[in-house]
Amino acid sequence: MSSTSERPKKLQRISQACDLCHRRSIRCRPSAENARQQCQNCFDFAVECTYNRPSRRRRNPSVPYSTSPNVLPGAGQQTGVSPSDDSHESKGQEVAVSQTINRGWSNSSGQQDYIGAYETVRQDHSSDVLGVAWRSFAEASMSTIEQYVDIYMEVVYPLFPLFHGPTFREKLAKRDHLTDRGFFAATMAACALAAARARDGAMGDRSDLKQHSERSSEVFFAAAKDTIPKELEKAQCQNYMRASGLLALCSIQYGQINTMHRFMGIYTTLAAMTQFHDEAYWPSTLTNVEREERRRVYWSMYTLQVYVAVVFDGLVMTQEIHSNVKYPSAVDEDITVKNGLAAPDTEENWLQGWNFTTDLYRVLEYSITRMRRLREGRLDRVSVVRLLDPVDLPDSVVMDNVIGLYYQLSARFRNYNVPITGDQNQDMFGFQAANIQATLQLVRMTLFSTNTNHDVYQKCYVAEQVLTTFHSIAPQYLRAISTPLVYHLGGIGRILGSVMEGLLCEQSYQRVRALLVSMADLLQGLESGLQPTAGSSRDLRLQIEKIDRYMEAQRLLISSVAGGQQQQQQQQSSQQLQTDALPGITLPHAHAALPPSSMARLGMGTPLDEFQLPPDLVDGKAWPWPFDFSPADQYSLLQQGPEG
């Protein structure tokens, strides 16, 4: 027997079974009779005890299995590909990742095994089967992914530029999403959002997605969700924060508000763990492009958090006063930045308009604080805000100041009715103009809500301004903004609903009715494919018709009462004449006089008489608002969060 097959002279414990015991799946233990050369089973069967099969334990020790959540287990990269920005971010693992990320796994034919199937199957990494499945799906769907990335860059990127465009496409071309787990999650989330927006009509007639499954958005959503580590300590990198933000936006697109809050919470947790709010804590090894990307992610998520707080009455998890993060630099993305950021060109850049929108959200953050001071139920504590800042500018003055800043913008950022041309360099300005106007109207409605003393005509005036502005924005931009824009209309609905619940006259009723019809028209143009809002305009028109029928019935009733009163007066006059002629005789009459209190309740005797509609027609539950979703999730793919 060769020396390689010999075992130690005294073996207390066999760490590897011999070939015979391994084939028979029986316990391999030292032989008491011949411990030097054979195990007990080989001695009993009188066969040679060999250890010739390859050891499963002999792996490359420098490449531990799933050492970092930023490297997909079992998946490798092409030699020469630089590590992604996430390699700088996982504390305690940066060096290991940077040393191993370029060592790709190869199969027997020498080809790169991007999805890790060879390593997973041959080395029995059963815990990564789900990862292999998603990477296999991604590798087989490269053309679809590229198409959805194009859609993302066209209709989502102008409003949420969470990537650096050229770098994003370069990494995708190098298949970095198959080897970098964080980048895979962000890419899948971007595809999920783009697919949902395209399905809901954001592209209009400019894209044909019939060859793709109608549920492809949910498939990409599930891929991104499953890739985010269950233990968030392993997800401390920018790509996971970016993926969480994109999944939150996609949840809004689905109308799944609880799911949206879940992913917003994941982002907030990761941002707090990495002190994302202060550039002083960012890694010093970041390139200029990576630093710019971080700034875009931070301020994009800030605007989304403020938007959620305004529209869904949530918490402002990030406050701008604590933010030590600069705005993204307004420079051309195609400029190669080497030794520092180039100074902004004298020519206009779309990021100037994007940064102004961020300014508007900063105004919104403070407007929320002012609005919530008015809430009841705070008599148990002193208002600290009023002690520190007792003087507030009127909401009209604040809005005038905001409008003054708006008119200091370039004319290109104020021209929001120019249709999409297909030239992205030009359309980026149109997107900024449309988004600025939509945010301005949100600021107007929020500031308006800080004062509870507005009368019917002031409420109608604000609603009229907002609806007129939305109707004047080019419809292609409205469809691209998609479902989040419908939530903007929630503020108008609340204003008009409060008017309908109060005292009205015929004139004010007709004005509010016209605004409701205008809102239904606007919704009809937006809901061509919006799943959570489909049919909202029809339901709103049905509710308007229901109120109209009630109003018509009241008019007929008043008309009949008025006719009865006139007939009664004629009969009373005739009766008086007969009474004068025949004392002691009283003639019967057909109608009794209606009490004054009943007439006051009916109202509508003249166009200026006040009346009040029944609560069951105008209270909050009566309106079929498109932004009033069920709290329970409806998509089976979304039932469990990234921890599930």
Side-chain angles (χ1 to χ4, degrees):
M1 180 181 297
S2 64
S3 59
T4 58
S5 63
E6 293 182 359
R7 293 170 45 237
K9 184 175 182 179
K10 184 177 182 180
L11 188 61
Q12 299 297 330
R13 179 177 179 271
I14 295 180
S15 59
Q16 180 181 355
C18 68
D19 296 338
L20 174 67
C21 294
H22 176 73
R23 286 195 302 270
R24 290 174 168 265
S25 297
I26 57 179
R27 181 182 177 184
C28 186
R29 63 187 188 279
S31 172
E33 293 83 357
N34 190 4
R36 177 178 176 82
Q37 295 184 356
Q38 291 174 301
C39 70
Q40 186 63 43
N41 294 323
C42 291
F43 179 81
D44 293 340
F45 286 99
V47 297
E48 184 180 8
C49 191
T50 60
Y51 295 83
N52 295 328
R53 73 183 190 283
S55 173
R56 292 177 55 192
R57 300 180 61 191
R58 297 182 62 185
R59 301 191 186 109
N60 185 351
S62 64
V63 189
Y65 170 69
S66 188
T67 57
S68 170
N70 300 324
V71 181
L72 289 172
Q77 281 187 321
Q78 293 178 347
T79 303
V81 177
S82 300
S84 70
D85 62 332
D86 292 334
S87 63
H88 301 291
E89 303 178 23
S90 293
K91 297 181 180 179
Q93 296 179 344
E94 296 91 342
V95 176
V97 173
S98 61
Q99 289 178 346
T100 63
I101 197 168
N102 291 327
R103 298 191 183 99
W105 295 102
S106 299
N107 58 22
S108 58
S109 63
Q111 298 177 348
Q112 291 291 332
D113 184 24
Y114 283 101
I115 62 176
Y118 178 85
E119 181 69 14
T120 299
V121 174
R122 297 296 293 272
Q123 298 298 333
D124 195 23
H125 291 170
S126 58
S127 61
D128 191 41
V129 172
L130 181 61
V132 170
W134 282 127
R135 292 195 296 276
S136 301
F137 160 76
E139 187 177 47
S141 307
M142 279 300 298
S143 60
T144 302
I145 292 174
E146 291 172 354
Q147 185 175 10
Y148 284 142
V149 167
D150 289 340
I151 294 174
Y152 171 86
M153 296 300 295
E154 184 171 348
V155 299
V156 180
Y157 178 80
L159 307 181
F160 289 93
L162 299 176
F163 300 88
H164 178 260
T167 303
F168 184 24
R169 294 184 183 277
E170 180 183 359
K171 288 183 177 181
L172 194 65
K174 292 179 179 179
R175 295 188 178 184
D176 283 8
H177 63 293
L178 297 179
T179 58
D180 186 326
R181 181 169 177 169
F183 185 60
F184 179 87
T187 303
M188 295 298 100
C191 290
L193 179 57
R197 289 280 176 92
R199 179 178 61 193
D200 293 344
M203 298 292 293
D205 299 330
R206 291 171 293 140
S207 178
D208 184 13
L209 297 175
K210 294 181 180 179
Q211 66 272 26
H212 302 308
S213 170
E214 293 183 357
R215 296 282 180 169
S216 60
S217 174
E218 286 75 15
V219 175
F220 283 105
F221 189 104
K225 176 179 71 67
D226 289 342
T227 307
I228 297 177
K230 297 178 181 179
E231 300 178 7
L232 294 184
E233 293 82 359
K234 299 179 180 179
Q236 297 182 44
C237 74
Q238 175 185 326
N239 271 322
Y240 290 121
M241 289 188 282
R242 184 157 40 196
S244 300
L246 288 167
L247 291 179
L249 279 168
C250 196
S251 300
I252 295 176
Q253 193 71 27
Y254 296 155
Q256 305 302 315
I257 307 308
N258 282 347
T259 305
M260 177 269 296
H261 284 300
R262 179 187 304 152
F263 288 105
M264 291 293 290
I266 292 176
Y267 165 80
T268 303
T269 302
L270 295 178
M273 293 169 67
T274 58
Q275 293 185 297
F276 197 47
H277 66 283
D278 193 344
E279 290 192 14
Y281 294 97
W282 292 2
S284 59
T285 53
L286 293 177
T287 66
N288 292 315
V289 170
E290 291 167 356
R291 191 171 296 274
E292 285 297 301
E293 275 191 322
R294 280 173 164 257
R295 291 168 177 168
R296 294 183 181 190
V297 171
Y298 181 84
W299 288 112
S300 292
M301 293 305 298
Y302 169 79
T303 60
L304 181 58
Q305 287 179 324
V306 175
Y307 168 85
V308 168
V310 173
V311 175
F312 302 107
D313 196 24
L315 298 174
V316 182
M317 305 303 296
T318 301
Q319 298 181 12
E320 70 97 15
I321 197 171
H322 302 302
S323 303
N324 184 28
V325 178
K326 295 181 179 179
Y327 275 3
S329 301
V331 296
D332 190 349
E333 286 196 337
D334 293 328
I335 295 177
T336 302
V337 183
K338 295 182 179 179
N339 299 322
L341 285 174
D345 296 338
T346 55
E347 298 182 358
E348 297 167 341
N349 187 280
W350 62 272
L351 277 169
Q352 296 169 353
W354 191 84
N355 289 336
F356 179 77
T357 304
T358 306
D359 288 335
L360 295 180
Y361 275 98
R362 291 166 57 203
V363 174
L364 268 174
E365 179 195 333
Y366 287 97
S367 301
I368 297 171
T369 302
R370 297 180 59 178
M371 179 178 63
R372 292 179 179 176
R373 291 182 198 170
L374 305 174
R375 289 182 173 177
E376 299 179 357
R378 294 186 176 181
L379 301 178
D380 61 329
R381 58 190 185 273
V382 176
S383 175
V384 177
V385 177
R386 293 190 179 276
L387 291 176
L388 299 176
D389 186 17
V391 179
D392 281 334
L393 289 175
D395 59 280
S396 57
V397 175
V398 176
M399 193 64 204
D400 289 341
N401 293 338
V402 172
I403 294 297
L405 293 175
Y406 170 72
Y407 279 106
Q408 293 178 16
L409 287 173
S410 168
R412 298 186 71 178
F413 296 116
R414 291 185 277 113
N415 190 4
Y416 49 85
N417 52 15
V418 176
I420 292 178
T421 63
D423 182 358
Q424 190 170 15
N425 293 329
Q426 301 298 322
D427 294 338
M428 292 291 280
F429 290 91
F431 269 104
Q432 304 314 312
N435 196 33
I436 287 172
Q437 271 302 315
T439 310
L440 267 178
Q441 304 315 313
L442 193 58
V443 171
R444 186 189 303 278
M445 289 184 292
T446 305
L447 287 172
F448 184 80
S449 301
T450 62
N451 190 339
T452 58
N453 297 323
H454 297 300
D455 58 23
V456 172
Y457 297 99
Q458 289 173 316
K459 293 180 179 180
C460 290
Y461 174 74
V462 170
E464 201 167 44
Q465 281 188 308
V466 175
L467 287 171
T468 300
T469 300
F470 280 134
H471 277 291
S472 60
I473 297 176
Q476 297 97 325
Y477 296 117
L478 296 181
R479 286 196 297 268
I481 297 174
S482 199
T483 301
L485 179 61
V486 179
Y487 287 101
H488 278 67
L489 300 180
I492 308 175
R494 285 190 289 270
I495 291 174
L496 296 178
S498 67
V499 173
M500 280 293 201
E501 291 179 19
L503 291 174
L504 296 170
C505 65
E506 183 70 25
Q507 184 180 17
S508 59
Y509 165 75
Q510 291 297 337
R511 187 176 183 184
V512 178
R513 183 190 182 281
L515 292 173
L516 288 171
V517 172
S518 175
M519 185 174 175
D521 293 340
L522 184 61
L523 285 172
Q524 186 174 0
L526 293 174
E527 66 181 9
S528 57
L530 299 180
Q531 292 178 337
T533 62
S536 297
S537 62
R538 180 193 66 249
D539 295 338
L540 181 56
R541 294 184 197 279
L542 291 175
Q543 185 65 19
I544 296 172
E545 292 177 2
K546 186 184 299 184
I547 297 175
D548 283 345
R549 289 195 297 269
Y550 171 83
M551 292 290 291
E552 185 62 29
Q554 298 306 307
R555 294 188 186 99
L556 292 175
L557 178 59
I558 290 176
S559 176
S560 64
V561 169
Q565 287 181 331
Q566 183 178 7
Q567 182 179 1
Q568 178 183 354
Q569 291 175 357
Q570 293 175 355
Q571 291 177 349
Q572 287 177 343
S573 299
S574 175
Q575 179 182 356
Q576 187 63 36
L577 290 175
Q578 295 182 29
T579 302
D580 292 341
L582 301 171
I585 300 178
T586 302
L587 298 178
H589 52 273
H591 297 279
L594 201 64
S597 58
S598 299
M599 285 298 297
R601 276 199 308 272
L602 289 173
M604 299 185 294
T606 70
L608 298 179
D609 287 340
E610 290 186 338
F611 61 91
Q612 194 164 7
L613 294 171
D616 59 334
L617 283 178
V618 293
D619 63 9
K621 297 180 180 179
W623 296 103
W625 300 130
F627 34 79
D628 203 9
F629 296 105
S630 170
D633 290 345
Q634 299 173 3
Y635 286 86
S636 57
L637 285 175
L638 310 182
Q639 289 297 323
Q640 297 196 11
E643 297 81 7

